[in-house]
Amino acid sequence: MTTFTLETIAPQHTAVLRADVPMAELPAVFDRAFHAVMRAVAAQGLTVTGPPFGFYPRMPTATVEVAAGFPVSAPVAPDGDVTAMELPGGRVITGIHIGSYDEMARTYRELTEWAASQGLQLAEGMWESYLTDPSVQPDPATWRTLITWPVA
């Protein structure tokens, strides 16, 4: 069972690559986005200030809309497919999913149940911050993903 907290966070500047793709293509989007964002950030003399993330503005349907990238020290100037975005500040529910990305549906179900039990309504748009690098830690059972979901 995941532990969730309600907290208030500040908005964050980010550099992202946006895509709307079938779910099966999501890993390729993340790979492309993380490399493109790191190139753009380095070329502009900015600093990455946190772990990579995927922002999901709506619930997936046949496709998933995502903005993938990194929090950065200042707004990034557009560079190819890389653009600036701001993760919203305000009241959010956070929780850490431990395990494979394939098992995250359970954590999302727990989060929505916890929000309802607290009388909270979830807002549109949420994000996952990938705290574990699978290329460094190949065991999916140990992967840690911070889920952040704003409340209305």
Side-chain angles (χ1 to χ4, degrees), residues 21-85:
V21 297
M23 188 70 76
E25 294 178 24
L26 207 49
V29 168
F30 280 114
D31 188 49
R32 187 168 57 98
F34 295 158
H35 286 94
V37 167
M38 290 302 283
R39 267 193 314 276
V41 166
Q44 295 180 34
L46 301 176
T47 304
V48 168
T49 61
F53 71 92
F55 176 83
Y56 303 91
R58 61 176 169 77
M59 294 301 289
T61 55
T63 62
V64 59
E65 183 180 355
V66 64
F70 291 88
V72 292
S73 55
V76 66
D79 182 346
D81 291 336
V82 175
T83 61
M85 187 183 103

Side-chain angles (χ1 to χ4, degrees), residues 55 88-89 91-93 121-127 148-152:
F55 176 83
R91 290 187 341 140
V92 298
I93 296 171
Q121 182 178 359
L122 298 171
E124 287 291 316
M126 50 72 56
W127 61 97
T148 304
W149 200 322
V151 295

Side-chain angles (χ1 to χ4, degrees), residues 1 5 21 24 26 28-29 42 46-47 50 58-59 63 67-68 77 87 94-95 111 114 129 135-137 144-145 152:
M1 180 78 171
T5 59
V21 297
L26 207 49
V29 168
L46 301 176
T47 304
R58 61 176 169 77
M59 294 301 289
T63 62
L87 289 175
T94 61
L111 185 150
W114 186 84
S129 299
S135 67
V136 174
Q137 179 53 266
R144 297 168 42 88
T145 305

Side-chain angles (χ1 to χ4, degrees), residues 81-116:
D81 291 336
V82 175
T83 61
M85 187 183 103
E86 185 175 88
L87 289 175
R91 290 187 341 140
V92 298
I93 296 171
T94 61
I96 294 182
H97 167 80
I98 299 173
S100 167
Y101 303 137
D102 294 338
E103 300 168 356
M104 290 182 73
R106 171 187 44 82
T107 304
Y108 279 106
R109 185 174 53 257
E110 292 172 0
L111 185 150
T112 57
E113 291 169 357
W114 186 84

